[in-house]
Amino acid sequence: MPEKGTNDKPGERIAKVIARAGLASRREAEAWIAAGRVAVNGAPIVSPALNVTAADRIAVDGQPLRARERTRLFLYHKPRGLVTTHADPQGRPTIFRALPKRLPRLISVGRLDINTEGLLLLTNDGGLARVLELPATGWLRRYRVRALGRVTQERLDALRAGITVAGVRYGPIEATVDREQGANVWLTVGIREGKNREVRKVLETLRLNVNRLIRVAFGPFELGELDDGKVEEVATEELKAKLGAELAHQAAVDFDAPLINRDARPVSARHSGASRRPEPGIQKNRPRSRLDSGSPLRGSRNDEKQFDGLLGNKKKTSSLRNFKQKSQKRRDRSGGPRPKFPRPL
């Protein structure tokens, strides 16, 4: 298909349309186009500089581009040891292989490196992912950090002016000392850019060696008590409210499109009141915690235990205890098994 003059054609860029269909990010879609995997009206294209409309027939790898579905957002508690990618050349485990199989095809909003855990946003809308991960959006990404070493609050306050590390300029960073634990210190760190390994690299300049890094919030979305490795959908009304009209317009989200069942049951959204039992790996309606309030955990070992509890150290539920009690054989006062018949007097 000739591409001369396609910049003046009404519609949207082809890579943008593919991203909005939830197949890939815009950058990935451009790579697919360059590889000859995309065809428009039956003819392969090799350049993303092409506008298309609803009247055009788009195919990826010979399959018609699926209809766009409602914009959805999921919260995922990423464990350590997983790579934020669909396919890793080194064969390492990825978050997308670990996700429940019945979720739609999702894209991550930014990345967390293999040794970082905590909140990762996932969406089926490539346009929304692109807008949310832009530094210009200005959303604060808040981390809980454990690092080997000591630092004063005065030195952390100096990071508010930004810092240059190895020729890379990092914007203002908010950091506070929460508590000391042996040779380590716990910090709360807030950044707005999210450059590659930003927190680790900046703290290294203060002679702090990060040995645990947990993202606890991304803008208005918080980790709370979402269990390690679990995923939870944000209800559409809540997503609308937290995005706001301006960001929703920039991302060109679609909250009116239908939810398309692609060999899957719909995932129950939190606060929706749905009674369907969630699929294993999908967590519903979680209680809020002190982390959700935005205040750091300070001052006591109980706080540390509480935070560790949020990251997967589960207590046995009363129902499990009751089950075990019922399944155990009754015993007499001597500690032995209770006789089947009463003992003779």
mmCIF file with all atom_site columns, all heavy atoms in Angstrom, residues 167-178:
data_model
loop_
_atom_site.group_PDB
_atom_site.id
_atom_site.type_symbol
_atom_site.label_atom_id
_atom_site.label_alt_id
_atom_site.label_comp_id
_atom_site.label_asym_id
_atom_site.label_entity_id
_atom_site.label_seq_id
_atom_site.pdbx_PDB_ins_code
_atom_site.Cartn_x
_atom_site.Cartn_y
_atom_site.Cartn_z
_atom_site.occupancy
_atom_site.B_iso_or_equiv
_atom_site.pdbx_formal_charge
_atom_site.auth_seq_id
_atom_site.auth_comp_id
_atom_site.auth_asym_id
_atom_site.auth_atom_id
_atom_site.pdbx_PDB_model_num
ATOM 1  N N   . GLY A 1 167 ? 26.510 11.126 34.710 1.00 0.00 ? 167 GLY A N   1
ATOM 2  C CA  . GLY A 1 167 ? 26.044 11.855 33.539 1.00 0.00 ? 167 GLY A CA  1
ATOM 3  C C   . GLY A 1 167 ? 24.548 11.842 33.316 1.00 0.00 ? 167 GLY A C   1
ATOM 4  O O   . GLY A 1 167 ? 24.061 12.453 32.365 1.00 0.00 ? 167 GLY A O   1
ATOM 5  N N   . VAL A 1 168 ? 23.792 11.153 34.184 1.00 0.00 ? 168 VAL A N   1
ATOM 6  C CA  . VAL A 1 168 ? 22.330 11.089 34.062 1.00 0.00 ? 168 VAL A CA  1
ATOM 7  C C   . VAL A 1 168 ? 21.712 12.002 35.113 1.00 0.00 ? 168 VAL A C   1
ATOM 8  O O   . VAL A 1 168 ? 22.031 11.899 36.302 1.00 0.00 ? 168 VAL A O   1
ATOM 9  C CB  . VAL A 1 168 ? 21.814 9.654  34.244 1.00 0.00 ? 168 VAL A CB  1
ATOM 10 C CG1 . VAL A 1 168 ? 20.287 9.613  34.157 1.00 0.00 ? 168 VAL A CG1 1
ATOM 11 C CG2 . VAL A 1 168 ? 22.433 8.725  33.197 1.00 0.00 ? 168 VAL A CG2 1
ATOM 12 N N   . ARG A 1 169 ? 20.831 12.905 34.676 1.00 0.00 ? 169 ARG A N   1
ATOM 13 C CA  . ARG A 1 169 ? 20.182 13.838 35.585 1.00 0.00 ? 169 ARG A CA  1
ATOM 14 C C   . ARG A 1 169 ? 18.867 13.253 36.092 1.00 0.00 ? 169 ARG A C   1
ATOM 15 O O   . ARG A 1 169 ? 17.992 12.845 35.321 1.00 0.00 ? 169 ARG A O   1
ATOM 16 C CB  . ARG A 1 169 ? 19.901 15.165 34.865 1.00 0.00 ? 169 ARG A CB  1
ATOM 17 C CG  . ARG A 1 169 ? 19.260 16.226 35.747 1.00 0.00 ? 169 ARG A CG  1
ATOM 18 C CD  . ARG A 1 169 ? 20.189 16.657 36.852 1.00 0.00 ? 169 ARG A CD  1
ATOM 19 N NE  . ARG A 1 169 ? 19.534 17.605 37.772 1.00 0.00 ? 169 ARG A NE  1
ATOM 20 C CZ  . ARG A 1 169 ? 20.122 18.072 38.871 1.00 0.00 ? 169 ARG A CZ  1
ATOM 21 N NH1 . ARG A 1 169 ? 21.357 17.674 39.187 1.00 0.00 ? 169 ARG A NH1 1
ATOM 22 N NH2 . ARG A 1 169 ? 19.507 18.921 39.650 1.00 0.00 ? 169 ARG A NH2 1
ATOM 23 N N   . TYR A 1 170 ? 18.740 13.179 37.411 1.00 0.00 ? 170 TYR A N   1
ATOM 24 C CA  . TYR A 1 170 ? 17.514 12.710 38.046 1.00 0.00 ? 170 TYR A CA  1
ATOM 25 C C   . TYR A 1 170 ? 16.813 13.902 38.684 1.00 0.00 ? 170 TYR A C   1
ATOM 26 O O   . TYR A 1 170 ? 17.454 14.759 39.304 1.00 0.00 ? 170 TYR A O   1
ATOM 27 C CB  . TYR A 1 170 ? 17.826 11.656 39.105 1.00 0.00 ? 170 TYR A CB  1
ATOM 28 C CG  . TYR A 1 170 ? 18.484 10.417 38.534 1.00 0.00 ? 170 TYR A CG  1
ATOM 29 C CD1 . TYR A 1 170 ? 19.867 10.223 38.622 1.00 0.00 ? 170 TYR A CD1 1
ATOM 30 C CD2 . TYR A 1 170 ? 17.731 9.440  37.896 1.00 0.00 ? 170 TYR A CD2 1
ATOM 31 C CE1 . TYR A 1 170 ? 20.476 9.094  38.096 1.00 0.00 ? 170 TYR A CE1 1
ATOM 32 C CE2 . TYR A 1 170 ? 18.330 8.303  37.356 1.00 0.00 ? 170 TYR A CE2 1
ATOM 33 C CZ  . TYR A 1 170 ? 19.702 8.138  37.461 1.00 0.00 ? 170 TYR A CZ  1
ATOM 34 O OH  . TYR A 1 170 ? 20.295 7.022  36.930 1.00 0.00 ? 170 TYR A OH  1
ATOM 35 N N   . GLY A 1 171 ? 15.508 13.934 38.531 1.00 0.00 ? 171 GLY A N   1
ATOM 36 C CA  . GLY A 1 171 ? 14.718 15.031 39.066 1.00 0.00 ? 171 GLY A CA  1
ATOM 37 C C   . GLY A 1 171 ? 14.588 14.979 40.574 1.00 0.00 ? 171 GLY A C   1
ATOM 38 O O   . GLY A 1 171 ? 15.208 14.145 41.248 1.00 0.00 ? 171 GLY A O   1
ATOM 39 N N   . PRO A 1 172 ? 13.773 15.870 41.145 1.00 0.00 ? 172 PRO A N   1
ATOM 40 C CA  . PRO A 1 172 ? 13.596 15.927 42.598 1.00 0.00 ? 172 PRO A CA  1
ATOM 41 C C   . PRO A 1 172 ? 13.159 14.583 43.178 1.00 0.00 ? 172 PRO A C   1
ATOM 42 O O   . PRO A 1 172 ? 12.310 13.892 42.609 1.00 0.00 ? 172 PRO A O   1
ATOM 43 C CB  . PRO A 1 172 ? 12.516 16.989 42.782 1.00 0.00 ? 172 PRO A CB  1
ATOM 44 C CG  . PRO A 1 172 ? 12.601 17.836 41.552 1.00 0.00 ? 172 PRO A CG  1
ATOM 45 C CD  . PRO A 1 172 ? 12.979 16.908 40.450 1.00 0.00 ? 172 PRO A CD  1
ATOM 46 N N   . ILE A 1 173 ? 13.762 14.233 44.318 1.00 0.00 ? 173 ILE A N   1
ATOM 47 C CA  . ILE A 1 173 ? 13.463 12.969 44.995 1.00 0.00 ? 173 ILE A CA  1
ATOM 48 C C   . ILE A 1 173 ? 13.079 13.273 46.437 1.00 0.00 ? 173 ILE A C   1
ATOM 49 O O   . ILE A 1 173 ? 13.792 14.008 47.134 1.00 0.00 ? 173 ILE A O   1
ATOM 50 C CB  . ILE A 1 173 ? 14.678 12.020 44.952 1.00 0.00 ? 173 ILE A CB  1
ATOM 51 C CG1 . ILE A 1 173 ? 15.010 11.652 43.492 1.00 0.00 ? 173 ILE A CG1 1
ATOM 52 C CG2 . ILE A 1 173 ? 14.427 10.764 45.777 1.00 0.00 ? 173 ILE A CG2 1
ATOM 53 C CD1 . ILE A 1 173 ? 16.299 10.892 43.337 1.00 0.00 ? 173 ILE A CD1 1
ATOM 54 N N   . GLU A 1 174 ? 11.964 12.700 46.879 1.00 0.00 ? 174 GLU A N   1
ATOM 55 C CA  . GLU A 1 174 ? 11.524 12.857 48.265 1.00 0.00 ? 174 GLU A CA  1
ATOM 56 C C   . GLU A 1 174 ? 11.943 11.620 49.045 1.00 0.00 ? 174 GLU A C   1
ATOM 57 O O   . GLU A 1 174 ? 11.595 10.503 48.657 1.00 0.00 ? 174 GLU A O   1
ATOM 58 C CB  . GLU A 1 174 ? 10.008 13.031 48.316 1.00 0.00 ? 174 GLU A CB  1
ATOM 59 C CG  . GLU A 1 174 ? 9.488  14.188 47.478 1.00 0.00 ? 174 GLU A CG  1
ATOM 60 C CD  . GLU A 1 174 ? 7.973  14.216 47.405 1.00 0.00 ? 174 GLU A CD  1
ATOM 61 O OE1 . GLU A 1 174 ? 7.330  13.500 48.221 1.00 0.00 ? 174 GLU A OE1 1
ATOM 62 O OE2 . GLU A 1 174 ? 7.438  14.920 46.543 1.00 0.00 ? 174 GLU A OE2 1
ATOM 63 N N   . ALA A 1 175 ? 12.678 11.814 50.125 1.00 0.00 ? 175 ALA A N   1
ATOM 64 C CA  . ALA A 1 175 ? 13.157 10.658 50.906 1.00 0.00 ? 175 ALA A CA  1
ATOM 65 C C   . ALA A 1 175 ? 13.155 10.997 52.381 1.00 0.00 ? 175 ALA A C   1
ATOM 66 O O   . ALA A 1 175 ? 13.551 12.102 52.774 1.00 0.00 ? 175 ALA A O   1
ATOM 67 C CB  . ALA A 1 175 ? 14.558 10.250 50.457 1.00 0.00 ? 175 ALA A CB  1
ATOM 68 N N   . THR A 1 176 ? 12.718 10.050 53.198 1.00 0.00 ? 176 THR A N   1
ATOM 69 C CA  . THR A 1 176 ? 12.716 10.231 54.647 1.00 0.00 ? 176 THR A CA  1
ATOM 70 C C   . THR A 1 176 ? 13.241 8.969  55.321 1.00 0.00 ? 176 THR A C   1
ATOM 71 O O   . THR A 1 176 ? 13.061 7.856  54.810 1.00 0.00 ? 176 THR A O   1
ATOM 72 C CB  . THR A 1 176 ? 11.294 10.510 55.180 1.00 0.00 ? 176 THR A CB  1
ATOM 73 O OG1 . THR A 1 176 ? 10.425 9.450  54.768 1.00 0.00 ? 176 THR A OG1 1
ATOM 74 C CG2 . THR A 1 176 ? 10.764 11.828 54.646 1.00 0.00 ? 176 THR A CG2 1
ATOM 75 N N   . VAL A 1 177 ? 13.893 9.152  56.466 1.00 0.00 ? 177 VAL A N   1
ATOM 76 C CA  . VAL A 1 177 ? 14.354 8.030  57.279 1.00 0.00 ? 177 VAL A CA  1
ATOM 77 C C   . VAL A 1 177 ? 13.190 7.579  58.147 1.00 0.00 ? 177 VAL A C   1
ATOM 78 O O   . VAL A 1 177 ? 12.598 8.367  58.876 1.00 0.00 ? 177 VAL A O   1
ATOM 79 C CB  . VAL A 1 177 ? 15.543 8.431  58.166 1.00 0.00 ? 177 VAL A CB  1
ATOM 80 C CG1 . VAL A 1 177 ? 15.961 7.261  59.057 1.00 0.00 ? 177 VAL A CG1 1
ATOM 81 C CG2 . VAL A 1 177 ? 16.719 8.893  57.314 1.00 0.00 ? 177 VAL A CG2 1
ATOM 82 N N   . ASP A 1 178 ? 12.854 6.297  58.071 1.00 0.00 ? 178 ASP A N   1
ATOM 83 C CA  . ASP A 1 178 ? 11.771 5.752  58.883 1.00 0.00 ? 178 ASP A CA  1
ATOM 84 C C   . ASP A 1 178 ? 12.293 5.145  60.183 1.00 0.00 ? 178 ASP A C   1
ATOM 85 O O   . ASP A 1 178 ? 11.793 5.435  61.256 1.00 0.00 ? 178 ASP A O   1
ATOM 86 C CB  . ASP A 1 178 ? 10.997 4.700  58.090 1.00 0.00 ? 178 ASP A CB  1
ATOM 87 C CG  . ASP A 1 178 ? 10.257 5.315  56.901 1.00 0.00 ? 178 ASP A CG  1
ATOM 88 O OD1 . ASP A 1 178 ? 9.957  6.522  56.962 1.00 0.00 ? 178 ASP A OD1 1
ATOM 89 O OD2 . ASP A 1 178 ? 10.001 4.603  55.928 1.00 0.00 ? 178 ASP A OD2 1
#
